[in-house]
Amino acid sequence: PRAAGSTVKDILGKCAYVRIAWNATATMERLKYARDTQLVQSGQVDVITTQYLHEGATLFDGQQHRGRCFAFMRHPIERAVSLFYYLGIATHEPTYDPQLRYISIEMWAKSKRVEHNWMTRFLSNELKGDLTPKHLEIAKAVLRQKCLVGLMEEKSESWIRFQKFFGWQFYTDEMRECQDELLNWKWSSKHQHELVHENSQAWE
């Protein structure tokens, strides 16, 4: 969350008319149904989005239907700060928490509500329990070997990389303007908030 996922879906779906499965793969139960009904083999989708990387990979057979992971990466603290401010106002989100509007980010960071190594957990498929250096190495190996990575601080350059790799086309001026708008200044869930500076109490 808070690492350009909605932006990618909007650009591909609204500007390039790429067929995207996101609601059908949002939960473990829906992923199982998508696998049982052979969503990938049906030819009805071009891109699948899900936070459950390992379960999502089971949708592909590794032969005729192979997938390639791609993702934007954001500094974990910057992402967590953005999530904190966003969930306090995002009434449409299942994880909306109005109480976040009335506490400081320092209080949140010390509470049980704060995320604990979200990225490492989902990449290593260790969603519960304690993490060890082994899980970190697994997560790094998954990114290095399986995933095409873009950086949020190099968003435009990363998007061009994705576009060239997957062959996404924006044929008309209207499509290109749509892409530029959603990528650079009118992206989904845009929310301005205070920054947390390095070496501050909240950062630590």
Side-chain angles (χ1 to χ4, degrees):
R2 308 304 295 166
S6 295
T7 299
V8 169
K9 287 184 286 188
D10 284 347
I11 292 175
L12 292 178
K14 296 178 180 179
C15 306
Y17 308 114
V18 171
R19 299 171 300 174
I20 305 172
W22 60 274
N23 192 44
T25 51
T27 67
M28 294 282 202
E29 292 76 14
R30 292 177 184 177
L31 277 167
K32 183 179 184 303
Y33 180 78
R35 183 174 64 249
D36 292 344
T37 56
Q38 296 189 317
L39 174 64
V40 170
Q41 290 78 3
S42 73
Q44 297 178 359
V45 297
D46 303 306
V47 174
I48 290 173
T49 67
T50 184
Q51 62 182 340
Y52 300 105
L53 177 64
H54 293 266
E55 289 74 17
T58 66
L59 299 179
F60 302 90
D61 57 28
Q63 298 176 7
Q64 288 185 318
H65 303 90
R66 303 183 67 181
R68 180 62 186 264
C69 167
F70 73 99
F72 272 108
M73 295 291 143
R74 188 176 187 180
H75 190 288
I77 294 181
E78 292 178 359
R79 191 188 66 78
V81 170
S82 177
L83 185 66
F84 166 75
Y85 285 108
Y86 176 68
L87 291 183
I89 56 95
T91 56
H92 61 285
E93 293 283 358
T95 49
Y96 165 63
D97 186 349
Q99 295 183 3
L100 295 180
R101 299 173 63 183
Y102 305 105
I103 66 173
S104 69
I105 194 167
E106 288 83 3
M107 292 174 63
W108 177 72
K110 295 177 181 178
S111 72
K112 294 182 179 180
R113 299 178 184 178
V114 72
E115 291 182 338
H116 293 283
N117 297 299
W118 182 92
M119 182 68 71
T120 301
R121 288 189 179 280
F122 278 83
L123 287 173
S124 66
N125 206 28
E126 188 68 33
L127 304 186
K128 299 180 180 179
D130 295 331
L131 295 178
T132 68
K134 179 181 178 181
H135 294 106
L136 177 59
E137 292 305 314
I138 292 173
K140 289 160 60 176
V142 168
L143 285 180
R144 184 171 58 250
Q145 299 172 15
K146 304 294 185 181
C147 201
L148 187 65
V149 174
L151 303 177
M152 283 289 289
E153 58 264 34
E154 298 175 4
K155 186 166 61 172
S156 295
E157 296 87 344
S158 297
W159 179 253
I160 292 172
R161 186 184 184 204
F162 291 157
Q163 186 179 336
K164 288 182 178 179
F165 183 88
F166 291 106
W168 298 323
Q169 299 294 325
F170 297 82
Y171 299 102
T172 67
D173 290 341
E174 183 180 3
M175 294 170 77
R176 288 187 287 270
E177 289 172 5
C178 175
Q179 174 190 228
D180 180 60
E181 177 181 289
L182 292 176
L183 182 66
N184 295 311
W185 56 279
K186 199 176 179 181
W187 57 86
S188 298
S189 305
K190 187 175 183 179
H191 177 57
Q192 293 183 335
H193 57 79
E194 297 180 25
L195 299 178
V196 170
H197 299 288
E198 193 169 355
N199 299 323
S200 66
Q201 181 181 356
W203 184 281
E204 297 299 330

